[in-house]
Amino acid sequence: SQQGEEDPQALSIQEGENATMNCSYKTSINNLQWYRQNSGRGLVHLILIRSNEREKHSGRLRVTLDTSKKSSSLLITASRAADTASYFCATDARAGGTSYGKLTFGQGTILTVHP
Amino acid sequence: NAGVTQTPKFQVLKTGQSMTLQCAQDMNHEYMSWYRQDPGMGLRLIHYSVGAGITDQGEVPNGYNVSRSTTEDFPLRLLSAAPSQTSVYFCASSNYPDSPLHFGNGTRLTVT
């Protein structure tokens, strides 16, 4: 089952613009993570936000979490061509406690940044 | 550090053949997992391990077998390959139960 649903499925912008991706999930969570995947490569962790946090920043990345709406957003500011990749949200369900690496991934947003 | 290493990078099998996808990590991580990635489906968990000698099933375990005899290695065995197992397989590891995953670069498997 897919816990996370991402929106939009694809996003095309110009360099310098901001990119916003959204993720919705169904069950209570301990934390929500965002990953990036370049074509033909493995996923790379970007940022983790815990259920008791509302906002987190890392460089040009800003993540928000609204547990009442079961949703999160990832904002990439001042995008670059090198940001072109697929972006995935992943959640670990609260039920049973810790995740042990058992994450549930969304289907991803394909971001294309044109130079 | 090499991180998480997966071999082979590409593999073509005929229906009914068996093979083992290798995964090794050099970060002394206790937690390891296998995911498959299919178009439009995101990643789905196949099996995971919380330490040497301890494994459990994920969301889509049928047709796959795992064992964890050492902390470093977590091989995934396809017992009798089927076309439905055509996918990209990723191995991942983490050092704490709720910490981010480190992924390998994947094995692209085609079953004809």
Side-chain angles (χ1 to χ4, degrees):
Chain A
S1 63
Q2 295 297 305
Q3 162 83 312
E5 296 292 333
E6 295 182 60
D7 166 57
Q9 291 187 346
L11 181 60
S12 182
I13 60 174
Q14 297 294 128
E15 251 188 344
E17 294 180 339
N18 295 342
T20 300
M21 289 159 267
N22 302 297
C23 169
S24 60
Y25 57 91
K26 297 174 184 173
T27 63
S28 296
I29 59 171
N30 286 326
N31 66 62
L32 185 144
Q33 303 178 35
W34 285 90
Y35 288 82
R36 163 193 170 129
Q37 183 181 34
N38 287 87
S39 180
R41 307 283 289 182
L43 280 72
V44 174
H45 177 258
L46 295 176
I47 198 164
L48 181 153
I49 186 165
R50 300 195 183 280
S51 59
N52 61 352
E53 297 176 309
R54 291 296 168 259
E55 187 170 312
K56 206 161 184 181
H57 296 256
S58 177
R60 293 184 295 113
L61 305 180
R62 171 178 170 257
V63 168
T64 61
L65 178 64
D66 187 334
T67 53
S68 66
K69 295 181 180 177
K70 292 187 170 59
S71 67
S72 173
S73 67
L74 170 66
L75 168 67
I76 303 174
T77 60
S79 62
R80 306 165 182 167
D83 294 328
T84 294
S86 294
Y87 292 82
F88 295 88
C89 67
T91 55
D92 72 324
R94 177 180 294 276
T98 54
S99 72
Y100 301 119
K102 294 184 294 175
L103 298 181
T104 302
F105 285 82
Q107 296 176 355
T109 294
I110 300 172
L111 173 65
T112 303
V113 182
H114 299 280
Chain B
N1 286 343
V4 179
T5 303
Q6 290 185 238
T7 55
K9 287 185 168 54
F10 301 94
Q11 183 70 51
V12 178
L13 291 177
K14 294 188 186 306
T15 298
Q17 289 184 318
S18 62
M19 79 159 294
T20 299
L21 280 63
Q22 301 292 343
C23 175
Q25 52 92 7
D26 61 359
M27 298 172 285
N28 202 31
H29 286 175
E30 288 294 328
Y31 307 101
M32 297 186 74
S33 46
W34 276 101
Y35 289 84
R36 60 178 288 175
Q37 183 177 31
D38 301 296
M41 297 287 291
L43 278 78
R44 292 181 293 168
L45 181 65
I46 305 171
H47 285 286
Y48 68 98
S49 170
V50 300
I54 307 170
T55 65
D56 205 347
Q57 297 181 350
E59 180 186 354
V60 288
N62 292 342
Y64 307 96
N65 200 5
V66 292
S67 60
R68 183 110 178 261
S69 56
T70 66
T71 299
E72 294 78 19
D73 300 300
F74 191 41
L76 178 72
R77 297 182 187 85
L78 278 70
L79 307 173
S80 177
S84 60
Q85 294 179 305
T86 293
S87 188
V88 182
Y89 291 85
F90 289 99
C91 179
S93 72
S94 61
N95 52 353
Y96 299 108
D98 293 325
S99 62
L101 299 182
H102 297 253
F103 280 86
N105 282 327
T107 294
R108 185 174 294 273
L109 176 68
T110 301
V111 183
T112 61

